[in-house]
Amino acid sequence: MTYCVGIQLDRGIVFMSDTRTNSGVDNISTFRKMFTFEQPGDRSITVMTSGNLATTQAVISLLQERSKHPSDRAPDILRCESMFQVARLVGATLKEVIEEHAQNGQQASGTFGATLIVGGQIHGGEPRLYLVYPEGNFIEASDDTPFFQIGETKYGRPIMIRAYDRQMSFEEAIKLLLVSFDSTIKANLSVALPLDWHVYEKDSCKTGRMGRIERDDPYFEIVSNGWGGALRDAFAALPEFEMPATA
Amino acid sequence: MTYCVGIQLDRGIVFMSDTRTNSGVDNISTFRKMFTFEQPGDRSITVMTSGNLATTQAVISLLQERSKHPSDRAPDILRCESMFQVARLVGATLKEVIEEHAQNGQQASGTFGATLIVGGQIHGGEPRLYLVYPEGNFIEASDDTPFFQIGETKYGRPIMIRAYDRQMSFEEAIKLLLVSFDSTIKANLSVALPLDWHVYEKDSCKTGRMGRIERDDPYFEIVSNGWGGALRDAFAALPEFEMPATA
């Protein structure tokens, strides 16, 4: 499994992804699931992946090869004129990779499927955040739905819904994501540290601060341990249920 | 979908279930999913259901018919000698109903499947809590895993893991369940009020206090609204992330 979240803020976009891949519980590995494509001053694009690892690696490799040899073949993620075109390119590449394997007489969908989050900004446009489906189509984040999750989305969703605020600082956003990831990691063995993060600052059109939160990260431990106590305090602060005297 | 939880406490067992059933989002109904079988002083058994409604209603009807006409046929849920025997009977009945439809040449598993929670106490034994699978087999709650959820289990799980304490009072347990149900209801349209609850008091061997939390229940609204604020306060109380100066 996987857990990746991209959230749109007034100040930009924050991305976070875990790094665990597994094929059964007895075959786990660590792979990066966050990739950035950059031309400083012109664009910064971040892609996060969930699903079949062979599929997502092929998609990223195709996007990278094409971007490194612009004369080779179009379209090219570093030459798309808008984030909408980028999402179309990523979607088309994803669909192409899945179809290639499905057409070999193998089972498709579940087996080769993958879902991606694509976000960033191209000079002259606004920051955009997309969720790309295995079929190659996609949806865009909006004021009503300002964040996307892929992979194991459920455990970490309630806190995202309750605490998200589009005016929050990047620091608060990372704290929120860590709480959401912590709930997910506690409940699903196939989501695990280390976590990669990237903070894209609006209108910078270049890759922002990035980092990796390792297994023994002291801040993550403070959040993880502190959140349990904070939740119990919050729970205790709610008024008591009054049991009816008779049923 | 459905959401039902049974939790084992030092004082007894608390059960809570929602009442929404749906066959597509345009065909929703309200059905009770919690059923009690009682012989005061001898036993109190509660069954909660999730899955195919035709299957679960058939299972409950078979258990009720058999219990109402003890001379008719054995085994009988009101004559089983232990909770283990009750779980076996419920599992066998569930398996029988699913097989009956599957054998008609229809698709089985996903279509006719159901999962049940069975809990209670028979005089002379301890209170027991079981999770019964569509195959008719079952597992029992223990100190390590003191509660079972069925249906849409993920959204409401993190708070259960964090705040459960086997010494908690019945009132605290109902508050905890309401927070867990509220997170689930907010995230999944197919889980909804009203909620049924039953508090089984250890060694009473009779049905305890029960109630239904209706759509406009003032206490549920206090918990639902208060929990958002409490969560945000808990979140704000965690120390801030320190963004590294350079990436």
Side-chain angles (χ1 to χ4, degrees), chain A residues 1 152-159 161-163 168-179 182-183 186-188 197 199 208-211 213 219 222-232 234-247, chain B residues 1 152-159 161-163 168-179 182-183 186-188 197 199 208-211 213 219 222-232 234-247:
Chain A
M1 206 81 178
E152 176 56 276
T153 61
K154 293 188 177 183
Y155 298 111
R157 191 169 177 81
I159 183 63
I161 291 175
R162 298 284 199 168
M168 69 201 325
S169 68
F170 288 137
E171 286 79 3
E172 285 173 316
I174 288 186
K175 184 167 80 167
L176 173 58
L177 288 171
L178 289 181
V179 171
D182 179 52
S183 293
K186 279 211 165 34
N188 189 327
W197 57 271
V199 165
R209 280 166 289 185
M210 305 179 76
I213 290 160
Y219 180 69
I222 289 170
V223 167
S224 181
N225 298 332
W227 185 240
L231 267 190
R232 282 188 290 273
F235 177 68
L238 288 176
E240 284 301 309
F241 179 71
E242 279 178 45
M243 193 79 73
T246 54
Chain B
M1 207 82 176
E152 176 56 275
T153 60
K154 293 188 177 183
Y155 298 112
R157 191 168 176 83
I159 183 63
I161 292 174
R162 299 283 199 169
M168 70 199 326
S169 68
F170 288 138
E171 287 79 3
E172 285 173 317
I174 287 187
K175 183 167 82 166
L176 173 59
L177 287 171
L178 288 180
V179 170
D182 180 52
S183 292
K186 280 213 164 31
N188 189 328
W197 57 271
V199 165
R209 280 166 290 184
M210 306 180 75
I213 290 159
Y219 180 69
I222 289 169
V223 167
S224 180
N225 298 330
W227 185 240
L231 268 189
R232 282 188 290 274
F235 177 68
L238 290 176
E240 285 299 310
F241 180 70
E242 278 178 47
M243 192 77 74
T246 54

Side-chain angles (χ1 to χ4, degrees), chain B residues 48 50 55-56 59 87-98 109 112-118 130-141 145 147-151:
Chain B
M48 294 189 294
S50 78
T55 296
T56 58
V59 169
R88 281 175 62 110
L89 169 63
V90 172
T93 309
L94 175 59
K95 189 181 167 207
E96 174 189 325
V97 170
I98 294 174
S109 71
F112 300 119
T115 305
L116 312 179
I117 290 174
V118 178
Y130 297 96
L131 178 68
V132 182
Y133 295 107
E135 292 77 10
N137 56 352
F138 50 86
I139 57 174
E140 185 180 353
T145 303
F147 60 86
F148 286 134
Q149 307 165 286
I150 53 176

Side-chain angles (χ1 to χ4, degrees), chain A residues 15 62 73 84 88 91 104 218:
Chain A
F15 304 89
L62 281 171
R73 55 185 291 192
F84 177 73
R88 280 175 63 110
N104 284 343

Side-chain angles (χ1 to χ4, degrees), chain B residues 77-95:
Chain B
I77 195 167
L78 294 184
R79 293 198 294 181
C80 289
E81 294 193 351
S82 67
M83 283 301 298
F84 177 73
Q85 296 297 340
V86 168
R88 281 175 62 110
L89 169 63
V90 172
T93 309
L94 175 59
K95 189 181 167 207

